[in-house]
Amino acid sequence: MSQMTDMRKTEEEWLRTERLPHVWCPGCGIGIVLNAFLRAVIRRNIPKEKMVVVSGIGCTGRTAGYVNVDSFHTTHGRAIPFAVGVKFARPDLNVVVFSGDGDLFAIGGNHFVNAARRNHDLLIIAVNNFTYGMTGGQHGPTTPTGAYTTTTPYGNPDRPFNIPHLAISLGAPYVARWTTYHVNQLQNSIYKALNMKGFRVIEIISQCPTVYGRRNSMRSPMSMMEYFQKNSVINNKASYEEMELTYKGKIVVGEFRNVGGIPSYEERYEEIIRRAQE
Amino acid sequence: MTEKHLKEGYYFWSGDVAAAEGAIAAGCRFYAGYPITPSSEVAETMALRLPQVGGKFIEMEDEIGSIAAIIGASWTGERSMTATSGPGISLMNENIGLAVMTEVPLVIVNAMRGAPSTGLPTLIGQGDLMQAKYGSHGSYEIITLYPNNIQEAFDLMFDAFNLAERYRVPVMYLLDGLLAHMYEKVYVPPREEWEKKIIRRKRAREGQLPYQPDEDMVPPMPLIGEGYNIHATGLTHDERGYPDLTPQAQEELVRRLNEKILKHERDIWKVEEYLTEDADIIVVSFGGESRAVKAGVNLARKEGIKAGMLRLITIWPFPWEYITKYSADYIVAELNYGQMYHLVREYSDNDVYQLNKMGGEIHTPEDVLKRIREVSS
Ligand SMILES: Cc1ncc(C[n+]2csc(CCOP(=O)(O)OP(=O)(O)O)c2C)c(N)n1
Ligand code: SF4
Ligand SMILES: [Mg+2]
């Protein structure tokens, strides 16, 4: 009990409690992800002044407004290049990008791809709620084929990104996927990733009952969580095909890639400075 | 910083190289950019020189990423810069608005080409003067500077960075296809001399909120990594930096963002007045074009016409007092269909004429002379 009270007190130090209540809907999954993130950061004993959180725009993008560290709510899709600037200028800081699927993979897709390729030392927390929550539930780059959204009234003809596959193909040293049902695994994954170097990607399948679940017969937060619980399969060795997400289909979760020793862009640039000053 | 890599003495540089070297001398240590003619030599110079002086250069995936990265870097305290040409500015505009709203010092070089669109990549244009100020959405002020020779392309970088820091605002640094690629002799003064010119970012008073302005309407800028728990957002915000989506907060913030520049416009303005004292006709011009204008004015003087030149070095905020103070007629010579013409007309009580060319080359001194003759007869 007292351990829990302690955790709660510490967590409150990491939150801008004066800004609560937050803007998220009751039952939204973003809070679960934020909670897991804060617990992992606290367990890691990272000094607050060494942590920077950067978000884009969206419901998930509002996270930067609640964490009580240097935190930036940037423009739609541009959290990653903003974070690149911070990290490259101050390699001693822990820079975390906390943003939504549309922000990171549609409008910001080019930045994701290139930052991963360059292996910037960033932790990417990607909240995938299958939709553009903030703008009212349009389909986005992760909406499963066939799903109903405000802009796919007859079902989605589009094919979604396979985010772990994408990240792995770009050489990201740490790639995992969890759902908001897997709180402990998620927290442990963030905890582990915080201690690694390079472009680390954690995708979290999260519920947006308000604008996504409602149109896909999962109106309540519980029904979405039940879907995650019943359909998730942990498989760290999943093939790329198995990682693919389908409408109401299986969700393969796990830690798909975890390799050390790949130098980050920031580390490689130290060598550039050394050569230039010879 | 390694001493052996600091420049001093005489060099033969292009405008792009001089702007990059000027930036380094003025303390710039972070550059992010995406190559585009005629600005690419700025990037190439930075790639070579920044790591020599302990700075950082990164080639980003596009101009949107470039400006986002320099905004992030500027929050760590680094003097940060990018360079591009018109197409790149068009892509950067949303984030120029973010830098205005969150009050982040930046220098953005625009080596103007013939435009619209891809236009004339290697040739001069002056069509981005309105874009420099009005490119992003909303009502705001930024500072825009525009040299007309290569020494000035170096020297004016001190003003660019100092003004950006002083007013927490992006500074648009205009070059053009002519200046970017033209070579001239540049004198770089000894280090002690130029170091004195660098104005450092002011620090917050104890307990001062991150967006709580001083008397001068400019809030001191907290830096990342110093325990301020900064929050910055492009949303309308209060003095703590927190979103405040009310008409009252909008009114207060947007007024201040405009007025922090306009209230200091006289401190910002820089112009060159050439033979304007007794002039009956003043040709207003700027950048590469002004070199022909000066020659044209000299030709007119030889014919006994009292002509002069007003060269705008500060484009924005528009140095309107230099228009109202004369009772002459004006010709606005510019390489576009007519942009600064409208500003001059707004402030002049006398006749204002145009001398336009759509870009690709500057007017000849004879073109200028001909127009002066036409309007003064
Ligand atoms: C340039 C630009 N285009 C469009 C928008 C509108 N917009 C705001 S948030 C958003 C989508 C957010 O979706 P996602 O990143 O998945 O975040 P979520 O709200 O689902 O957490 C869009 C399209 C914007 N703010 N800026
Ligand atoms: S709209 Fe969806 S994603 Fe946004 S706060 Fe509500 S439940 Fe969460
Ligand atoms: Mg989303």
Side-chain angles (χ1 to χ4, degrees), chain A residues 23-25 28-30 59 129 133-134 207-211:
Chain A
V23 295
W24 298 313
C25 308
C28 174
I30 299 170
C59 294
N129 53 14
M134 179 61 99
Q207 72 275 26
C208 166
T210 310
V211 300

Side-chain angles (χ1 to χ4, degrees), chain A residues 57-60 76 100-103 107 129 131-135, chain B residues 94:
Chain A
I57 301 290
C59 294
T60 315
H76 193 24
D101 49 295
D103 191 80
I107 192 165
N129 53 14
T131 191
Y132 294 151
M134 179 61 99
T135 42
Chain B
E94 187 195 9

Side-chain angles (χ1 to χ4, degrees), chain B residues 89-245:
Chain B
I89 299 289
S90 294
L91 287 180
M92 288 180 186
N93 271 321
E94 187 195 9
N95 281 302
I96 290 176
L98 176 69
V100 167
M101 194 66 153
T102 52
E103 302 182 67
V104 179
L106 305 173
V107 174
I108 304 159
V109 176
N110 176 6
M112 289 185 288
R113 53 167 65 192
S117 193
T118 310
L120 300 170
T122 59
L123 300 176
I124 186 171
Q126 294 184 319
D128 309 348
L129 305 167
M130 289 294 170
Q131 184 204 38
K133 179 185 179 321
Y134 295 104
S136 200
H137 52 290
S139 185
Y140 63 92
E141 291 288 332
I142 67 168
I143 296 171
T144 301
L145 306 177
Y146 192 2
N148 89 335
N149 62 72
I150 309 308
Q151 180 73 51
E152 198 175 49
F154 177 89
D155 294 335
L156 206 55
M157 267 296 171
F158 288 88
D159 299 80
F161 278 96
N162 286 343
L163 290 169
E165 295 288 336
R166 168 80 184 74
Y167 297 107
R168 278 188 74 172
V169 74
V171 171
M172 189 76 79
Y173 195 87
L174 299 176
L175 294 174
D176 53 49
L178 182 73
L179 292 173
H181 288 163
M182 186 174 78
Y183 280 74
E184 283 179 337
K185 194 166 78 175
V186 177
Y187 173 64
V188 179
R191 181 178 174 182
E192 314 79 72
E193 222 171 283
W194 50 256
E195 277 208 326
K196 280 193 301 232
K197 291 209 274 180
I198 298 177
I199 299 173
R200 294 285 162 199
R201 213 171 267 194
K202 63 178 176 179
R203 306 309 299 262
R205 284 176 276 120
E206 184 74 19
Q208 189 172 9
L209 296 174
Y211 286 100
Q212 187 183 341
D214 287 337
E215 294 257 291
D216 63 1
M217 308 185 91
V218 184
M221 188 166 177
L223 301 185
I224 286 182
E226 297 192 338
Y228 281 97
N229 301 332
I230 300 164
H231 182 62
T233 173
L235 288 167
T236 298
H237 46 267
D238 60 18
E239 292 187 345
R240 180 65 192 81
Y242 291 167
D244 182 351
L245 308 185

Side-chain angles (χ1 to χ4, degrees), chain A residues 202-220:
Chain A
I202 303 178
E203 178 191 17
I204 303 99
I205 309 293
S206 172
Q207 72 275 26
C208 166
T210 310
V211 300
Y212 181 80
R214 174 152 77 106
R215 298 191 173 86
N216 292 281
S217 57
M218 291 179 285
R219 190 171 280 273
S220 70

